[in-house]
Amino acid sequence: VQLQASGGGLVQAGGSLRLSCVGSGRSFSQRAMGWFRQTPGKEREFVAAISMSGESTLMGDSVKGRFTIWRDNAKNTVYLQMNNLKYEDTAIYYCALEDERWRIGVPRFQSDFGSWGQGTLVTVSS
């Protein structure tokens, strides 16, 4: 499985961006998806995840109420809508596909995800 993330860019604080991640492979709809982010010198941080069906989501504490995750399995795509962006949201954002198929629930640990996209840079100016 290959993942291709896009949609990053430069935005002013308070602005919005939408990230997309397209996956290849036939098992996309059988696995949960997630978004993580990382800044230099810091550990990769959980942002959001969504179940294989899209019915359940889990958001990181720092983005609750501002970010939304959803997926379109017909397009093998997961999205991350980011509103009211803050300077501290600046990071490289990675999408990830979990290893396990047919999971009931939503994973949030990096170890649950075995396939990763290349990352897309989001820069928020203050």
Side-chain angles (χ1 to χ4, degrees):
V1 176
Q2 291 186 334
L3 302 174
Q4 181 71 39
S6 62
L10 174 64
V11 63
Q12 289 186 334
S16 298
L17 281 176
R18 179 179 296 179
L19 306 184
S20 301
C21 177
V22 182
S24 63
R26 293 176 291 179
S27 63
F28 180 86
S29 61
Q30 301 167 6
R31 306 182 187 193
M33 293 287 297
W35 287 95
F36 292 78
R37 66 187 182 186
Q38 189 169 23
T39 55
K42 293 186 177 181
E43 294 186 357
R44 194 167 292 187
E45 176 190 8
F46 171 78
V47 176
I50 187 167
S51 64
M52 61 179 180
S53 66
E55 293 181 352
S56 300
T57 62
L58 192 63
M59 308 302 294
D61 290 340
S62 61
V63 305
K64 282 181 181 177
R66 300 188 297 121
F67 291 13
T68 304
I69 185 172
W70 74 99
R71 65 191 295 166
D72 185 341
N73 285 338
K75 297 181 179 180
N76 276 15
T77 303
V78 63
Y79 303 93
L80 184 70
Q81 177 67 39
M82 305 184 294
N83 297 329
N84 190 20
L85 282 161
K86 303 177 180 180
Y87 175 75
E88 50 266 38
D89 293 320
T90 296
I92 299 175
Y93 284 71
Y94 298 91
C95 60
L97 181 70
E98 77 158 327
D99 281 332
E100 182 178 334
R101 296 185 185 186
W102 310 113
R103 176 194 292 266
I104 303 299
V106 185
R108 68 174 297 159
F109 300 107
Q110 293 186 56
S111 57
D112 292 320
F113 297 87
S115 300
W116 293 81
Q118 85 288 0
T120 184
L121 177 62
V122 172
T123 304
V124 184
S125 61
S126 59

